[in-house]
Amino acid sequence: MSDVAPFTPAVRLSHLGDDVKTRIFEAALRVLADVGASVQHDEAVRLLQKAGCSLDSDGLVRVPRPAVERALSSAPNAFTLYDRDGAAAMELGGHNVYFGTGSDLMWQYDPHTGEHRPSRLDDIARVARVCEALPNMDFVMSGAYPTELDPRGVYAVTFLTMMRNCTKPLVIVAESEIDLGVIIDVAADVRGGRDQLRERPYFLAYVEPVSPLSHPAESVAKLLLCADAGVPVAYVPAPLLGATSPVSSAGHVVQGMAECLLGLVLHQHRAPGAPFMFGVNQGTLDMVSGQPSYAAVEGFMNYLTVVEMAKWLGLPNWGISGCTDSQAIDAQLGLEVGELTLLSMLLGSNLNHDVGFMGFGLTGALEEIVITDEFVSMNKKLLSGIPVQDEDLAVNVIAEVGPKGHYLRHPHTRRYLRKGPGQWRPRLLNRDNRDRWVECGGLDLREKARRKVQAILESEGPPTLDPVLLALAEERVAALKASPKVGSPS
Amino acid sequence: MSTTRHAIIEEIIEAVVEGEPEPVIAGVRRALEAGVDPETVLNDGLTAAMTSVGDMLDRGEVFIPDVLWSAEAMQEGLALLLPHLSEGASRSAGTVVLGTVQGDVHDIGKNFVGLMLSGAGFEVVDLGHDVTAEAFVEAVAEHGAGLLGMSAMLTTTMPVMSRTLQLLEARSLRSGVRVLVGGAPVTQSYADKIGADGWAIDATKAVAVAKELV
Amino acid sequence: MSLFEDLKLNVEQGKKEAVLALVAQALDQGHSAQQILQQGLIAAMDIVGAKMEQEEMFIPEVLRAAKTMEAGLEILKPLLGVGDMQVSGKVVMGTVKGDLHDIGKNLVAMLLSSAGFEVIDLGINVAPAVFAQKAEETGADFLGMSALLTTTMPMMAATIEELEKAGLRGRVRVLIGGAPVTQAYADQIGADGYASDAGAAIKVAKELGALVA
Ligand code: B12
Ligand code: B12
């Protein structure tokens, strides 16, 4: 069962003044109203026109300020995701911080052999199992793309696999509104109906427009379907700094916001008050290697700004954590994962995906998920703040011990440790002296993480799904695969 | 053992683990009243409890101060039990003179070792820190200590240990006392080199080594 | 510095005005267009390519150098004979059906054209039949396909089939790339070449071109 108490950092990072945030927002409004965007979906264009936007002779849609303001005022500033059993699990909004994996990695470091090999369906099951067991992973994204399967209906199969292997809320990717429709049907079966699903959403859909300023038919269709079904949706562009967005940090954010906010206008016009998640992915094209970095410091800078803008607009935000550009489970991984995780937490970024991502969003490793979990745990302590009641200031305790004494046996020490804030215990990080460490095998973090992964995989999985539901879900997915509407030849 | 007796022992164990002296005392008293063999109370109750606390520390389930409190609670129970134990069992584990060597102010580890030793039934005479070789030797003579424990945390202060050993020899006290050394820079090979009798890497091991030596 | 050294340096640094002036000067001095192309412009891009591979240049600088090289080539074109023109080949390029990723494809297209290929970019979401039709229409020597999604990779195989059906497979060399694509996959579907980045893409295209010629 999911942990309901949300984590909200007491120590926070914010670096932009109101004046700066106003300028960024105004600039995004200018892009929306003056530059416009390409919206490749007729019904969506008509809806946008009804919302006060214009379709101009150059074929671009332009969005005026009042339309954006109306959408901002109807959009909820928080919404809840529920777990498989229907219990509230994530209250997305404010400074609540949650973590989970990313989707679709096409390579994996095999957890048993360490071999770098193409991802498979059983990797998705393992990702879900590992997340289920980790207290600081709050939601699950596929973490892998099943390369051995026929691509037809693959995201519905993925959804089913996640659902079977964990009870935590899911974040999903779909190819089009067709497979998304099936995923919604399955989730509604789990809940006992469409209305129940609307009331207690089981998953959030991750939908992306194409930077710069292009809203393809499939993306828009998925967005509208989510609005209609009351399924929470993150409509989040991924502009790559200097390739599909201006190279300047502020320019990246301005364009990304304009792309996301167009989605908001459309979504809120279709279903005012429906749950919508704001965000701009922080990608950076490395201008020498040509790789899309997930951990470039410039990307981190954009991230800081985007999350602050989300808070300022009063929208729940989509964030990123637990990923690295490293190709190995090494110190670079630790460093990048640690920094990004801490940033997300300091910012109060709401839903942080991509835990377990390595090598530019192409490779996954379960060890990285376990390591990130440890970092999150540690930083939850760090950012919980320092209590300063008399008991904490402890003047009388200092007086009692006096010069040259010690606190090891003072009742205050024990009370604090047992009944008070205690002391954070690492599960993976070393706290052993050299002899003992050597005695225990001289394991480094990578090996300890690997063993923890093994232990989780060997332990009992989550409660199984009702067989009737499962059969129904499998039927729906089979029908999807057979449908002439789902594309690609095999 | 009857279930009630068994239950009393369980209560004692729990109270020691919890580090609560009153329930330990109450438990020992009830055990004696119920006619449980004092040796059983000691071995299956108090000592077993401390072993389990040590294991818990090993697994990171309790904190060091918890162990110290358990040791303290155990001592309270033991005090009550002592008069009922046979001659052999009732002896205190022995007297230890303990201190941090001259020139060294590090005393956290030494304090911890001291607390654990007294938890294990040793009589600890703590000389504090910055203790000269002479002061160590005098205290050993004065208290008739069977054990001398020295802590040094600096490479620069380690030689004081060796000097103390030489002085013990010079005063013909060396054969009557087992010498235990420790501290971050100290190793088994250093202990061997200077002719100490034992070395331990941490407080739990220190207790085990001390028990072996006496 | 010799005239050609100067020319190469200015191409590398993307100084268009200087390159135009130096090309004109070289012609004035009686160098042939063919010689200026080979020893000046193309030689410069070889250096740029090498520097890119050594990670010594930013991608936008590479692209600017390429643009500058093309500007110089514009002056030379009317003066080059059909044989001299030595365009490395005609490439029809696009991202496969169902796939909207185009950053990598654009990069490859730009660098191919700077390496002397004539590139016809069909954009994104290109159906197999469209690839085949355009390859036929333009008389392309190469077909370059990009796919960034595992789901859309099969479109590459479908396109090769389409080429075969249209009887074009013998004439058109097929080059593929994108994050999920590997040499093994290229072999499996019978593509002629694969490259993992833009620099390698040009090398492979040139090698295949040489094989054809
Ligand atoms: C806290 C500390 C201090 C405190 C001490 C406070 C106090 N009341 O004790 C202060 C700030 C005062 C201090 C000062 C200095 N310190 Co200092 N200090 C430390 C530190 C960080 C922790 C020591 C500690 O308490 N550990 C926790 C306890 C529980 O562990 P422990 O002491 O190792 O004890 C355990 C075992 O060793 C064993 N044990 C210990 N004693 C005994 C005895 C026996 C008989 C047995 C069997 C076992 C045993 O059991 C204990 C329990 O498990 C160490 C680093 C380290 N890792 O040791 C440096 C360290 C010891 N200090 C060091 C130095 C250099 C100094 C200074 C010279 C620094 C300065 N700028 O002046 C001064 C020296 C002052 C002096 N003259 O003594 C160096 C020593 C390097 C060396 N090669 O000698 C160290 C290693 C840190 C470093 N790398 O710089 N220090
Ligand atoms: C940017 C990006 C996007 C942007 C694309 C914008 C654009 N205009 O292209 C947006 C946000 C729109 C997007 C959307 C989606 N994306 Co995307 N995206 C990426 C990302 C982060 C970077 C791609 C990129 O531009 N790289 C930089 C360029 C320079 O490199 P490149 O493309 O690899 O090209 C180089 C080489 O591959 C080679 N090359 C490329 N083409 C060719 C062709 C030839 C002929 C040759 C020889 C060489 C060659 O040379 C190039 C230059 O060096 C990748 C991650 C990754 N590492 O690839 C994910 C990634 C490709 N996307 C992914 C996914 C899942 C999606 C979505 C389904 C997500 C969703 N929620 O809907 C949608 C699909 C939309 C669609 N139908 O296409 C997955 C694919 C997983 C899989 N197993 O298939 C990836 C791997 C990320 C992930 N793990 O989730 N994405």
Side-chain angles (χ1 to χ4, degrees):
Chain A
M1 184 73 54
S2 314
D3 181 5
V4 191
F7 172 75
T8 308
V11 183
R12 291 180 192 174
L13 175 66
S14 122
H15 75 304
L16 301 175
D18 254 343
D19 52 332
V20 177
K21 287 185 263 202
T22 305
R23 288 187 63 199
I24 292 174
F25 180 56
E26 291 296 325
L29 286 180
R30 286 211 303 280
V31 171
L32 280 163
D34 301 344
V35 183
S38 158
V39 181
Q40 296 129 41
H41 189 283
D42 294 339
E43 192 191 356
V45 172
R46 279 196 301 278
L47 278 168
L48 284 165
Q49 284 174 305
K50 279 194 204 141
C53 308
S54 60
L55 173 64
D56 299 324
S57 52
D58 54 5
L60 300 183
V61 172
R62 292 190 171 76
V63 185
R65 173 193 297 268
V68 177
E69 284 173 348
R70 213 167 27 250
L72 282 171
S73 67
S74 71
N77 48 29
F79 60 83
T80 306
L81 279 185
Y82 297 77
D83 66 16
R84 197 176 78 182
D85 304 326
M90 298 167 70
E91 276 151 39
L92 295 156
H95 281 72
N96 293 355
V97 182
Y98 298 97
F99 293 92
T101 40
S103 70
D104 287 292
L105 296 164
M106 53 186 84
W107 299 96
Q108 295 287 323
Y109 274 115
D110 188 284
H112 303 295
T113 65
E115 177 202 3
H116 189 255
R117 55 150 177 81
S119 303
R120 305 185 302 246
L121 193 63
D122 55 347
D123 291 313
I124 297 176
R126 278 191 283 267
V127 166
R129 289 278 311 274
V130 166
C131 287
E132 180 77 3
L134 294 173
N136 301 295
M137 290 296 121
D138 304 291
F139 65 90
V140 177
M141 261 179 118
S142 70
Y145 179 98
T147 57
E148 80 278 26
L149 298 190
D150 181 323
R152 256 179 287 195
V154 84
Y155 286 116
V157 177
T158 297
F159 176 75
L160 216 67
T161 306
M162 294 194 282
M163 186 169 90
R164 293 179 69 166
N165 287 284
C166 72
T167 63
K168 291 182 178 179
L170 306 179
V171 172
I172 65 114
V173 168
E175 203 172 357
S176 72
E177 74 277 18
I178 298 167
D179 54 341
L180 178 58
V182 172
I183 293 171
I184 292 174
D185 287 341
V186 172
D189 293 339
V190 171
R191 283 287 182 268
R194 286 281 186 141
D195 290 340
Q196 286 85 340
L197 179 64
R198 185 186 294 271
E199 241 166 66
R200 292 176 174 267
Y202 173 29
F203 69 86
L204 173 137
Y206 174 35
V207 179
E208 297 176 310
V210 178
S211 302
L213 307 173
S214 172
H215 300 266
E218 307 89 85
S219 305
V220 172
K222 287 187 271 183
L223 179 66
L224 290 176
L225 179 53
C226 288
D228 294 342
V231 164
V233 60
Y235 192 70
V236 178
L240 288 187
L241 204 70
T244 49
S245 86
V247 72
S248 52
S249 193
H252 179 275
V253 175
V254 165
Q255 182 193 300
M257 278 180 67
E259 291 160 350
C260 181
L261 290 175
L262 184 142
L264 179 77
V265 169
L266 177 60
H267 181 265
Q268 290 298 304
H269 185 75
R270 177 75 154 222
F276 182 94
M277 179 163 272
F278 171 90
V280 179
N281 283 308
Q282 48 111 329
T284 302
L285 188 73
D286 183 290
M287 287 297 182
V288 172
S289 70
Q291 291 305 313
S293 171
Y294 281 63
V297 66
E298 290 80 3
F300 291 177
M301 291 161 80
N302 301 346
Y303 184 40
L304 294 182
T305 306
V306 169
V307 182
E308 274 202 63
M309 291 309 295
K311 308 274 171 246
W312 193 73
L313 294 173
L315 296 172
N317 87 284
W318 173 264
I320 182 162
S321 264
C323 53
T324 180
D325 288 346
S326 180
Q327 301 289 3
I329 302 162
D330 62 358
Q332 180 183 342
L333 178 149
L335 192 148
E336 288 173 348
V337 160
E339 174 144 338
L340 196 44
T341 304
L342 178 58
L343 274 184
S344 292
M345 297 180 79
L346 277 168
L347 290 165
S349 174
N350 300 142
L351 185 146
N352 303 292
H353 82 309
D354 275 358
V355 173
F357 264 40
M358 302 174 62
F360 315 105
L362 302 179
T363 296
L366 297 174
E367 289 91 331
E368 190 180 9
I369 304 175
V370 164
I371 290 171
T372 307
D373 183 78
E374 178 98 341
F375 276 124
V376 174
S377 164
M378 177 169 112
N379 288 319
K380 279 183 176 172
K381 172 76 180 191
L382 172 71
L383 303 181
S384 62
I386 297 172
V388 286
Q389 300 303 308
D390 284 349
E391 160 86 357
D392 308 300
L393 296 169
V395 175
N396 56 335
V397 183
I398 297 170
E400 277 167 41
V401 169
K404 298 191 171 182
H406 68 79
Y407 296 80
L408 281 170
R409 223 176 48 189
H410 195 285
H412 179 261
T413 308
R414 186 163 196 244
R415 204 163 52 238
Y416 220 72
L417 289 175
R418 300 197 97 193
K419 307 210 165 84
Q423 186 178 64
W424 180 77
R425 293 301 310 151
R427 293 280 166 243
L428 297 174
L429 302 178
N430 179 59
R431 289 285 171 86
D432 285 335
N433 66 38
R434 172 119 196 138
D435 280 22
R436 189 178 157 128
W437 177 75
V438 170
E439 238 168 64
C440 296
L443 308 181
D444 63 5
L445 180 59
R446 173 178 176 276
E447 180 57 22
K448 285 193 199 172
R450 198 186 69 80
R451 290 183 185 198
K452 178 151 181 183
V453 165
Q454 303 298 338
I456 293 173
L457 295 178
E458 280 158 22
S459 69
E460 205 184 322
T464 50
L465 206 55
D466 171 4
V468 180
L469 268 179
L470 191 59
L472 185 56
E474 269 165 357
E475 224 169 89
R476 288 192 188 278
V477 174
L480 170 72
K481 282 200 231 168
S483 158
K485 282 195 250 170
V486 289
S488 45
S490 44
Chain B
M1 208 190 315
S2 79
T3 36
T4 43
R5 288 176 181 190
H6 194 79
I8 297 170
I9 295 287
E10 286 301 314
E11 274 167 36
I12 293 173
I13 292 177
E14 196 188 320
V16 171
V17 170
E18 284 299 304
E20 305 282 359
E22 283 78 28
V24 174
I25 292 166
V28 170
R29 189 166 291 141
R30 286 213 292 133
L32 293 173
E33 281 163 12
V36 185
D37 174 17
E39 299 280 343
T40 307
V41 178
L42 178 64
N43 296 330
D44 297 357
L46 299 177
T47 311
M50 280 314 291
T51 310
S52 115
V53 172
D55 293 346
M56 286 164 84
L57 183 65
D58 250 23
R59 293 193 300 265
E61 290 165 9
V62 293
F63 293 111
I64 288 171
D66 294 321
V67 179
L68 300 178
W69 280 79
S70 293
E72 187 115 317
M74 187 265 196
Q75 284 302 308
E76 301 263 352
L78 190 60
L80 189 65
L81 202 57
L82 272 179
H84 303 273
L85 287 169
S86 64
E87 200 37 41
S90 66
R91 256 196 297 114
S92 117
T95 301
V96 191
V97 163
L98 188 68
T100 300
V101 300
Q102 185 182 19
D104 205 324
V105 305
H106 296 84
D107 65 0
I108 302 170
K110 181 268 295 167
N111 288 339
F112 184 25
V113 170
L115 291 166
M116 290 296 282
L117 284 173
S118 69
F122 287 90
E123 205 76 57
V124 178
V125 181
D126 189 341
L127 305 182
H129 57 77
D130 203 7
V131 181
T132 61
E134 286 76 15
F136 274 124
V137 173
E138 270 162 33
V140 167
E142 183 187 335
H143 297 279
L147 263 178
L148 169 60
M150 288 183 281
S151 179
M153 292 294 287
L154 299 169
T155 315
T156 44
T157 58
M158 280 162 66
V160 178
M161 296 177 158
S162 167
R163 218 176 314 135
T164 307
L165 281 162
Q166 286 160 11
L167 200 60
L168 282 173
E169 291 278 2
R171 304 270 167 90
S172 311
L173 290 165
R174 183 65 186 88
S175 57
V177 63
R178 317 269 80 191
V179 178
L180 204 59
V181 294
V186 183
T187 57
Q188 181 65 57
S189 68
Y190 182 75
D192 295 344
K193 192 176 114 193
I194 65 171
D197 303 299
W199 167 84
I201 190 153
D202 61 28
T204 328
K205 296 254 166 60
V207 171
V209 176
K211 282 186 170 166
E212 268 169 40
L213 288 178
V214 294
Chain C
M1 201 185 307
S2 82
L3 179 67
F4 280 107
E5 287 305 314
D6 209 8
L7 178 56
K8 284 192 284 186
L9 196 68
N10 279 288
V11 170
E12 195 187 319
Q13 293 176 348
K15 291 185 180 150
K16 189 171 148 195
E17 297 311 315
V19 167
L20 294 180
L22 286 164
V23 169
Q25 197 184 328
L27 287 169
D28 281 350
Q29 291 182 8
H31 296 286
S32 76
Q34 166 70 8
Q35 192 189 5
I36 300 171
L37 176 65
Q38 291 301 336
Q39 294 173 28
L41 302 183
I42 291 184
M45 286 313 292
D46 285 345
I47 298 172
V48 169
K51 284 202 170 174
M52 192 174 79
E53 245 185 282
Q54 297 300 309
E55 307 207 325
E56 282 169 20
M57 269 176 101
F58 282 127
I59 289 167
E61 293 172 340
V62 174
L63 297 176
R64 209 171 97 159
K67 268 248 144 57
T68 309
M69 182 272 194
E70 279 169 33
L73 185 63
E74 280 309 305
I75 309 186
L76 297 179
K77 264 188 187 161
L79 307 170
L80 289 165
V82 196
D84 302 334
M85 231 337 245
Q86 259 303 340
V87 182
S88 317
K90 215 181 244 186
V91 190
V92 161
M93 185 83 208
T95 300
V96 300
K97 182 157 184 257
D99 205 320
L100 310 174
H101 295 82
D102 65 359
I103 302 171
K105 183 264 297 166
N106 291 344
L107 213 67
V108 173
M110 284 187 275
L111 286 173
L112 278 174
S113 84
S114 78
F117 290 85
E118 185 185 339
V119 179
I120 299 128
D121 189 341
L122 305 181
I124 52 174
N125 203 7
V126 181
V130 177
F131 271 123
Q133 184 202 333
K134 290 287 171 185
E136 168 126 61
E137 263 174 43
T138 58
D141 308 293
F142 297 96
L143 176 64
M145 287 183 279
S146 182
L148 266 284
L149 300 172
T150 314
T151 29
T152 59
M153 278 164 64
M155 286 300 167
M156 295 179 155
T159 304
I160 290 178
E161 261 171 50
E162 202 71 34
L163 285 178
E164 239 145 46
K165 264 196 246 159
L168 295 165
R169 188 65 190 89
R171 190 190 85 209
V172 181
R173 311 281 89 193
V174 177
L175 215 65
I176 63 172
V181 181
T182 57
Q183 182 64 54
Y185 184 72
D187 296 342
Q188 185 197 321
I189 66 168
D192 302 298
Y194 154 81
S196 72
D197 61 35
I202 284 141
K203 262 198 203 160
V204 173
K206 283 191 168 166
E207 279 165 23
L208 288 176
L211 285 178
V212 176

